[in-house]
Amino acid sequence: MTDHERGHHGHNHGSHGDCCSHNTDHAPDDGRYDLVPDGYRGPVYTCPMHPQVRQTHAGSCPICGMGLEPESASLEDIGPNPELVDFTRRFWLGAVLTIPLLLLSMGPLVGLGALREGMGERTAMWIEFALGTPVVLWCGWPFLMRGWNSFRTRNLNMFSLIAMGVVAAYTFSVVAVLAPGIFPDGFRDAGGHVGVYFEAAAVIVTLVLLGQVMELRAREGTGKAIRALLDLAAKTATRIGSDGNEEDVALEDVAVGDHLRVRPGEKVPVDGLVVDGRSSVDESMITGEPVPVEKVAGDTLTGATINGTGSLVMEARRVGADTMLAQIVDMVAAAQRSRAPIQKYADKVAGWFVPAVIGVAVLAFIGWAIFGPSPALAYALVAAVSVLIIACPCALGLATPMSIMTATGRGAQAGVLIKNAEALERFEKIDTLIVDKTGTLTEGKPRLVAVLASSADSEDDVLRLAASLERGSEHPLAEAIVTGAQDRGLTLADANDFEAITGKGVKGTVDGRMVALGNAALLDDMGLAGGDLIDKANKRRDEGETVMFVALDGALAGIVSVADPVKETTPDALNALHQLGLRIIMATGDNARTAQAVAARLGIDEIRADVLPEDKARIIRELQEQGAKVAMAGDGVNDAPALAQADVGIAMGTGADVAIESAGITLVKGNLDWIVRARRLAQATMGNIRQNLFFALVYNAAGVPVAAGVLYPALGLLISPMFAAFAMSASSISVVLNALRLRTARL
């Protein structure tokens, strides 16, 4: 891939084009601009404002004129933004030529009138022509071409207005130099001269270029999160061969199943499991948590995290595009390209704004030509050009994309991954949060706390048979029972005819005996009465324990009780979520008494107990029908339907891939305080967008009539096209800088 073909690849930002303001009446069909052939595997470039525009090389959007962005980011393509390099070069040439042009044209106003008088008016005009022409025709060429394309495709945007203003001022001036005799008296001053506006055209181009250069430099900050993440990846890995020899290999040569050595201070090359060794690993670049995490055999490792003082041997489990780092980069890049629903309001304004501005410019010209002082037509031209330039809707188009790009990058640094801008906007409006108990409020690592027997079988017999049956299950409660039995030195047997009954329990045969383990619903299915064990079970549930009944050969034999400690971070996180305006509902498969005990201790607003996996989506629908805006936090495969049903699904990063795919927000760690971060990010982002839209709309609403000359009768004030260009650039930069404040938002 050549440098030209590479274009923006690796930069998750476009050009000034987010300042687009297209005419939605002429939107093309989606397939018309998708120029990517089937089977193509190279870089693809797309327009954030018009995702139907896709092509295999960098360039400009044929609809709005903005620079196209790569659909994916790659470490090898990190480098200077070629558009920034090009625009910087054009700006400096424009500045070098515009400064003497401005001094020459404004000489009488700055004490240099004698210079112009000495060379004569005609000579001065020819010099202005020589200085201004390269500024307009070379420095301003990108704007002129994009303006032309906007009219050709009937998609009017900011480049339409810039091109019209520059071309009007420059063309008028060229004709005034080459054929001054064709102008009527309405264009001539008291000395009979026809004024030229080369300096206005040149200053407009130079200031717009300056604004774009500053904007592009500022926009580079929105891609810093991705580039920083990409740069975190290790470049090589130390692979341990079958003969025990070690060799350094390129990261792309690492395969699943390889054993890798991670020395002290090195980056973990890929995602995997610790096979041997002990060390602490700095995971702050992934989780945002500064405290290193202890790692021993069996623990997971995430690529790009930094090993501490110990040496580790790991087995590669996820490599290449499957690693968490690669998935984070792709998710952030996709989110930065997405559009928030609030952008539709800006689009509606933009749909009629540019044609309206052109109409105002025409009216301003007519009004000044009829009612203006001498030379009336010259004043009319100045007013029309000023209206076109000051009204460029650059700030309006930048208001939303800049905030979204900055916010998604900031979220990635804090361990909050935003799937798209719509999820961020929706999460700000959420008033109800549904959370699971196990793994979200609690550690998700339950432990056995009690065994009670009510038959001829001893407690050890009841536990041994229950644990033997549960050994075939992957449920956290099953793991707690098995571990508890092993800690008591019990020898477990093999289970046959194992059957898992969703939401109720398990059945099977152990040592020739029929064993069943589950909740009260399972007892009801079997036609068994709980007897005095019900009271004992309820007392334990009141302490927040999860109780399961054990049946042997069709008779109730006892109970096993498991407790899952509440995470240390949960109480503070719940308080923060309440302060952020959320109602917390705990939906759990636990018995109501157990759930109520946990809820009372933590101050949870409402509980839904004895919930089966399929019930969660139904509960969300019921709440939505009551007018609630619902977010659901989950981490399991069975949570996917509920995550998809919720207004915003929140997947715990430690959960199943299908849950992450169904969610709009993914948390790198499964703690509630990460939800607090996501909520604060959503509120800060939407507040920032509203500020940007307000400033942009108020600026344009105030700037257009002033440029048209409404203040001239009362104050004698008529702004020049040069001032209009400066004001237009300043408004865009102010929006960019306001959006960049999100980089330091407190989460």
Side-chain angles (χ1 to χ4, degrees), residues 544-682:
E545 298 175 12
T546 299
V547 179
M548 288 160 283
F549 296 94
V550 182
L552 301 177
D553 297 323
L556 188 61
I559 61 174
V560 292
S561 181
V562 172
D564 187 6
V566 172
K567 293 178 181 177
E568 293 182 3
T569 58
T570 294
D572 289 341
L574 287 172
N575 289 334
L577 289 170
H578 279 129
Q579 292 173 6
L580 291 170
L582 291 176
R583 175 173 61 135
I584 311 298
I585 298 177
M586 181 176 72
T588 176
D590 272 347
N591 176 275
R593 298 181 73 116
T594 302
Q596 188 61 54
V598 174
R601 191 159 71 242
L602 295 176
I604 291 173
D605 302 299
E606 187 178 334
I607 63 167
R608 301 292 178 96
D610 297 310
V611 172
L612 299 177
E614 57 267 25
D615 292 335
K616 293 181 180 179
R618 175 184 54 78
I619 292 170
I620 293 172
R621 280 194 299 272
E622 291 174 354
L623 291 168
Q624 289 171 331
E625 289 169 358
Q626 297 168 10
K629 301 293 184 183
V630 185
M632 163 75 188
D635 60 0
V637 173
N638 55 18
D639 288 330
L643 292 172
Q645 175 65 40
D647 294 285
V648 178
I650 305 172
M652 304 310 195
T654 53
D657 289 344
V658 66
I660 294 173
E661 285 296 320
S662 303
I665 297 174
T666 297
L667 308 179
V668 173
K669 291 190 70 174
N671 291 350
L672 279 184
D673 46 1
W674 259 253
I675 300 181
V676 175
R677 295 184 182 188
R679 175 72 166 191
R680 287 173 177 162
L681 178 65

Side-chain angles (χ1 to χ4, degrees), residues 343-360:
Q343 179 67 29
K344 294 177 182 177
Y345 297 108
D347 288 348
K348 289 180 180 179
V349 173
W352 55 259
F353 185 76
V354 174
V357 167
I358 294 174
V360 172

Side-chain angles (χ1 to χ4, degrees), residues 34-44 54-57:
D34 191 341
L35 304 179
V36 179
D38 292 340
Y40 176 77
R41 296 187 177 277
V44 175
R54 300 174 74 245
Q55 61 188 44
T56 58
H57 58 278

Side-chain angles (χ1 to χ4, degrees), residues 171-377:
T171 303
F172 176 88
S173 303
V174 170
V175 175
V177 171
L178 300 179
I182 69 173
F183 289 94
D185 291 342
F187 284 101
R188 300 180 184 277
D189 59 19
H193 299 294
V194 178
V196 293
Y197 300 97
F198 290 114
E199 84 286 354
V203 169
I204 290 170
V205 169
T206 304
L207 285 176
V208 172
L209 279 169
L210 174 62
Q212 300 312 307
V213 168
M214 295 180 67
E215 178 190 318
L216 284 167
R217 288 188 183 279
R219 285 168 65 89
E220 291 246 301
T222 66
K224 282 185 177 178
I226 284 184
R227 292 196 298 278
L229 285 169
L230 284 170
D231 203 35
L232 286 174
K235 308 303 185 290
T236 61
T238 302
R239 183 164 58 195
I240 303 174
S242 56
D243 56 0
N245 292 328
E246 299 181 4
E247 62 171 339
D248 288 338
V249 297
L251 198 62
E252 55 267 25
D253 293 334
V254 175
V256 174
D258 283 351
H259 280 205
L260 309 173
R261 170 80 65 187
V262 187
R263 300 185 182 91
E266 287 185 340
K267 293 180 179 179
V268 176
V270 295
D271 296 357
L273 292 176
V274 177
V275 175
D276 185 39
R278 184 186 188 95
S279 184
S280 58
V281 176
D282 180 359
E283 297 182 335
S284 59
M285 67 286 298
I286 298 294
T287 65
E289 288 293 293
V291 180
V293 180
E294 290 294 322
K295 300 289 183 179
V296 296
D299 287 342
T300 59
L301 290 173
T302 303
T305 55
I306 301 174
N307 186 24
T309 56
S311 179
L312 297 173
V313 176
M314 67 174 293
E315 178 184 333
R317 289 292 182 91
R318 290 185 174 186
V319 301
D322 294 330
T323 64
M324 179 179 287
L325 179 63
Q327 291 174 356
I328 289 174
V329 168
D330 286 344
M331 185 175 290
V332 175
Q336 290 190 337
R337 292 194 307 269
S338 65
R339 303 179 65 204
I342 197 172
Q343 179 67 29
K344 294 177 182 177
Y345 297 108
D347 288 348
K348 289 180 180 179
V349 173
W352 55 259
F353 185 76
V354 174
V357 167
I358 294 174
V360 172
V362 171
L363 292 176
F365 183 90
I366 295 172
W368 278 92
I370 297 174
F371 303 108
S374 180
L377 292 178

